[in-house]
Every structure is written in C-alpha cells, then in structure tokens.
Amino acid sequence: MTTPQSWEARAEEYSLYGFTDMPSVHQRGTVVLTHGEGPYVFDTNGKRYLDSNSGLWNMVAGFDHKGLTEAAKAQYDRFPGYHSFFGRMSDQTVMLSEKLIEVSPFDRGRVFYTNSGSEANDTMVKILWFLHGSEGNPKKRKILTRWNAYHGVTAVSASMTGKPYNEVFGLPLPGFIHLTCPHYWRFGAADETEAAFVQRLARELDETIQREGADTIAGFFAEPVMGAGGVIPPAKGYFQAIQPILKKYGIPLIADEVICGFGRTGNTWGSQTYDFTPDAIISSKNLTAGYFPMGAVILGPDLADRVQDAVEKIEEFPHGFTASGHPVGCAIALKAIDVVMNEGLAENVKRLAPRFEAGLQELAKNPNIGEYRGVGFMWALEAVKDKPTKLPFDASLSVSERIANTCTDHGLICRPLGQSIVLCPAFIMTEGQMDEMFEKLEQALKQVFAEVA
C-alpha cells in the first residue's frame, strides 16, 4: 500500500469525517490546521483564516489565550487527572460547582459534570427518568423538544434533536416528541401576526400534553436561541407563553445553554436574554472557552432537592463518566469564566453587537438574502431564490456550502447550515476584524449568487 504524502491526502485516507460535505472534501481537499493566533487559524500551507465560527462556537477567547493555557499547565503540574466517583473529587471540581451556582440564575442548586453538551443533555434525560421513577411516576419518560432544535449526537440527545438527518440512525427513539420550531419568518402563516403565531405554538404545546398525558412527560428541552438549527431566536413572547403551560402540568423546563451560555447572546445566559428562568441549565462549549472538553448539568433548587431525595433512597446516583469533573478541565473552566466575565469579553460582545447587526442589515439588502437574524455574537443570513415568496434555492445547488467554500478561498471561515450562513465569532473580535469578516463575506455572496441566481 502506498502511503499518502500530502496532509490533505492523509486526512482523507485515514479519517472519518463528521458533519462534513463529502463532495466538497473530494473536490477541494481537507483544510489541515496547525495553530491559531487570536481569532485566526493557520493551515499547513501557512494560509491565514479569520474564523468567524470561533472553532465550533466555543473558542470565545481566541486560539492562544495565555491565561487559559497557563491555567491548564499549572493544573497538569499540580494534579493532572482524577474522577468524581466514590465520594472523591478534586478541589477544582468543588470550586467550579460553587462558581457555576454563583453565576447561574439559581440561588442554590447542584452540578453534575460530563465531557460534552451531548452527554450533558443525555444525562439530564436520565436524571429526569430517575427522578420521576423514584417519585412513583415511572410512566413520565416522554421528552418534548422542537423541530430544528439541536441537542447532541448520543442516541438520546440525537433523538431530542429535531433534524431529519438522524433518520439514517433509526432515530428518534420512541417517546421523543418534536413541536413546531418557533421561527416566525419561516413558519408563520401568511396572514398570521407574530403574537398569533406564538399563541398557536402555545396551544400546540397544551394540546400535545393533553393528548400524550402530563403523567407521561418527563421534561421540555429548549435552546434559548436555536444554534445548529440556523441561529433561530424565538418569536417574541414565546417563552412567556409556554412556561406557564409547563408549570401548570408540572413539566420541568430545561434550558440547553450549550451555545448560548456564558455570553454568546450578550448576557451570561440566553435565558436571561429572553427573560425566563428554567428549572435546569445545560452548559458546555464556552464553559471552558473550548480549551477542554467539558459539559455540566446545573440543577435549580427544586430539581436539586428532589434528585437528592431520589439519590438518598437508593444510596447513590448510578451514573457518571471517568473524566467527570476532571481537575484540569475544572481549572480551565474557572479561568474561562473569569476571562469572559472580567477581562472585557462579555462587554465587547455587548459593545459590538449593534455593529454586527448593522453589517448584516447591509448585506441583507442583497435580493438573494431573505432574512438576517440573531442576537449578541450569533447571527445568520438566510439565502433565498426569491425574496418576496421566501422560496429557497434548489437543494442540489448547495448554495450555503458554496458560499462557505468561497469564503474559505478568501480566508474566512463561516458555517453553512441549511440555506443559511452562520457567523458566531470569538468574543475578542475587534471592529477591524468585523469589517474584514463582512468584506470577505460580501465578496463571496456576490460571487456565488452571480453563479446560481
């Protein structure tokens, strides 16, 4: 067998790609990266790219933050690894749990650690099943989410994810129910006001609970802003309409803040941005600013007390991961929270968010941009063939993939999602870098729309 020589050939020969457009890989090759500086990354050919996706939403402090790497090095020297089983955990784990409750919307609670947001959502489902079974309600197992939501890739969290690509795995599993996506621009009826659209979704939720039976529903999971669904903020008043219904039936509301949490929407939590208090929060990504794989389930006071009672009944919570509460990850997370909240990153998001929106508003004047949407430092542009009717391009044209590939040619990394282009840069982005992002994106849009429109 002849060994491939180039980085691109070696990647394609030995790697199984996740969420990757394979025709693009076969035609263009893999971009193999070597290092980063600030919000930029560099490939094996020395080409520099402005990463407006901040890795995968998570590298919010950039790719070379000395404080974060030093925190990791110091903890590796001090105590390089441990678990959180059998009544033992590191001091960093204890301190991080204290910090997470301190910065959460809760006055008290409990934290459980995982290695990713997918595992955290999976764990939260198991917690709900465990809790309801302990309280004498073993039928309360159904999980409510929304179409176009993204909650992860484990069998359970993928079942929660309302995306058709999971059908290739035979998912969702039974008992996972997807409600209407709260995207008014796309799913509102022609003569329907935004308020009427919200009331329709609230009625759908109430009717679904009555049809399925409140005594069979374990919880409702929702991203404050749908991230991997294409950056979809909720219709105005959505959470205020649905939360009273959930409370009426005693169904916990779980905020999946994997993407929104720690500053992405302009506040510490997306639930703060949209003015609701969940019963629990799922955190990951920005929790460690991308410098360590970690997720967390943050239980509010009611669920924390009830789960602890369930644990006491059987004398343990039979769940966990080898690296749950890893001391290095916790040390990095403590530093990352400090960096975002106290080094000006959160303030920079608030300061530049209006400039971000203004730049997108200008790009949206293009006749093939149907909508721009988002909040804080997470936005999307939706490509359309016909703006008045919102008619999308034929899927065979792969318009968003073309735009993203053309951006890459110009030294800009952005993300295609459906027919949208997503921009979610690092919180350290400067005004000049934002201008660079918009200039390169505008060039790509003009080039691609000239080819397909």
Side-chain angles (χ1 to χ4, degrees):
M1 182 180 72
T2 302
T3 302
Q5 297 300 310
S6 72
W7 285 105
E8 294 82 1
R10 289 159 65 186
E12 193 163 352
E13 180 73 15
Y14 297 108
S15 300
L16 180 63
Y17 295 77
F19 288 108
T20 299
D21 182 68
M22 292 311 297
S24 291
V25 169
H26 297 324
Q27 178 183 353
R28 299 167 53 86
T30 303
V31 177
V32 180
L33 303 171
T34 59
H35 66 287
E37 296 174 3
Y40 295 93
V41 293
F42 296 78
D43 68 15
T44 50
N45 298 310
K47 183 174 179 177
R48 187 179 78 161
Y49 306 84
L50 176 59
D51 190 343
S52 67
N53 198 41
S54 56
L56 199 58
W57 311 87
N58 57 343
M59 303 297 295
V60 295
F63 295 92
D64 61 347
H65 191 284
K66 285 191 175 182
L68 289 166
T69 57
E70 287 171 358
K73 292 173 185 176
Q75 187 59 38
Y76 272 120
D77 286 340
R78 181 171 176 262
F79 194 26
Y82 209 68
H83 56 78
S84 297
F85 287 19
F86 320 128
R88 297 189 291 276
M89 64 179 63
S90 78
D91 55 354
Q92 301 298 312
T93 312
V94 173
M95 289 190 291
L96 180 58
S97 296
E98 291 173 336
K99 175 58 69 173
L100 286 174
I101 296 301
E102 175 190 326
V103 302
S104 79
F106 311 129
D107 56 3
R108 60 186 181 84
R110 292 180 182 269
V111 181
F112 190 91
Y113 295 103
T114 66
N115 308 301
S116 67
S118 297
E119 292 174 359
N121 275 310
D122 195 301
T123 293
M124 187 69 231
V125 171
K126 287 183 71 176
I127 286 174
L128 291 171
W129 289 345
F130 170 63
L131 168 65
H132 295 315
S134 176
E135 293 179 341
N137 301 302
K139 293 192 300 180
K140 287 179 74 73
R141 295 183 63 83
K142 295 174 185 173
I143 300 295
L144 302 179
T145 60
R146 290 91 52 82
W147 287 112
N148 227 13
Y150 182 90
H151 296 288
V153 295
T154 63
V156 165
S157 61
S159 295
M160 298 161 67
T161 294
K163 306 290 279 187
Y165 53 67
N166 282 315
E167 293 174 1
V168 301
F169 303 108
L171 298 173
L173 298 168
F176 290 84
I177 300 166
H178 302 110
L179 303 171
T180 298
C181 172
H183 186 189
Y184 174 59
W185 178 83
R186 176 54 71 189
F187 298 109
D191 59 348
E192 189 175 40
T193 66
E194 189 168 8
F197 174 69
V198 167
Q199 287 307 308
R200 172 160 66 88
L201 268 55
R203 286 195 302 274
E204 176 193 44
L205 172 62
D206 200 310
E207 291 167 1
T208 299
I209 294 171
Q210 292 188 47
R211 181 184 69 247
E212 299 292 333
D215 61 343
T216 71
I217 299 173
F220 181 101
F221 285 70
E223 303 161 90
V225 177
M226 288 182 171
V231 184
I232 302 170
K236 186 177 180 180
Y238 171 77
F239 283 104
Q240 288 67 40
I242 67 165
Q243 190 161 29
I245 296 170
L246 296 169
K247 286 185 179 294
K248 178 175 70 172
Y249 293 107
I251 298 171
L253 170 58
I254 315 303
D256 182 345
E257 298 260 13
V258 167
I259 289 173
C260 295
F262 291 109
R264 179 61 71 182
T265 66
N267 291 295
T268 303
W269 303 105
S271 51
Q272 292 173 313
T273 299
Y274 293 98
D275 195 26
F276 71 98
T277 301
D279 296 291
I281 285 173
I282 306 301
S283 179
S284 188
K285 293 193 185 292
N286 299 353
L287 174 60
T288 61
Y291 280 62
F292 196 90
M294 175 174 281
V297 175
I298 308 171
L299 300 175
D302 177 65
L303 284 180
D305 291 346
R306 292 165 63 192
V307 170
Q308 188 61 28
D309 287 344
V311 170
E312 298 292 345
K313 283 184 183 179
I314 64 169
E315 300 183 346
E316 70 171 345
F317 177 45
H319 177 76
F321 304 93
T322 301
S324 293
H326 193 288
V328 177
C330 290
I332 293 171
L334 283 163
K335 181 62 178 178
I337 294 169
D338 180 60
V339 167
V340 170
M341 300 182 75
N342 300 316
E343 287 191 7
L345 275 68
E347 288 80 1
N348 194 52
V349 172
K350 291 182 179 180
R351 182 177 68 87
L352 289 184
R355 185 186 183 97
F356 206 150
E357 183 172 9
L360 289 163
Q361 188 174 31
E362 189 65 26
L363 291 177
K365 292 178 181 179
N366 188 300
N368 292 115
I369 296 296
E371 180 192 39
Y372 74 94
R373 57 180 180 264
V375 65
F377 260 32
M378 56 186 306
W379 293 85
L381 292 166
E382 179 103 4
V384 292
K385 181 176 178 62
D386 183 70
K387 198 164 191 169
T389 62
K390 306 177 186 178
L391 179 70
F393 284 98
D394 190 284
S396 64
L397 292 173
S398 301
V399 168
S400 65
E401 194 72 30
R402 287 192 190 199
I403 295 170
N405 287 338
T406 306
C407 283
T408 302
D409 292 339
H410 291 303
L412 175 69
I413 293 174
C414 55
R415 181 176 180 180
L417 277 172
Q419 301 229 353
S420 299
I421 288 294
V422 168
L423 304 169
C424 48
F427 298 173
I428 60 171
M429 176 169 268
T430 65
E431 293 180 7
Q433 290 161 352
M434 188 169 285
D435 291 343
E436 177 188 349
M437 175 180 72
F438 284 132
E439 288 167 8
K440 291 180 175 180
L441 178 56
E442 184 176 21
Q443 292 173 17
L445 292 174
K446 287 180 178 179
Q447 181 176 332
V448 172
F449 290 146
E451 295 169 355
V452 301

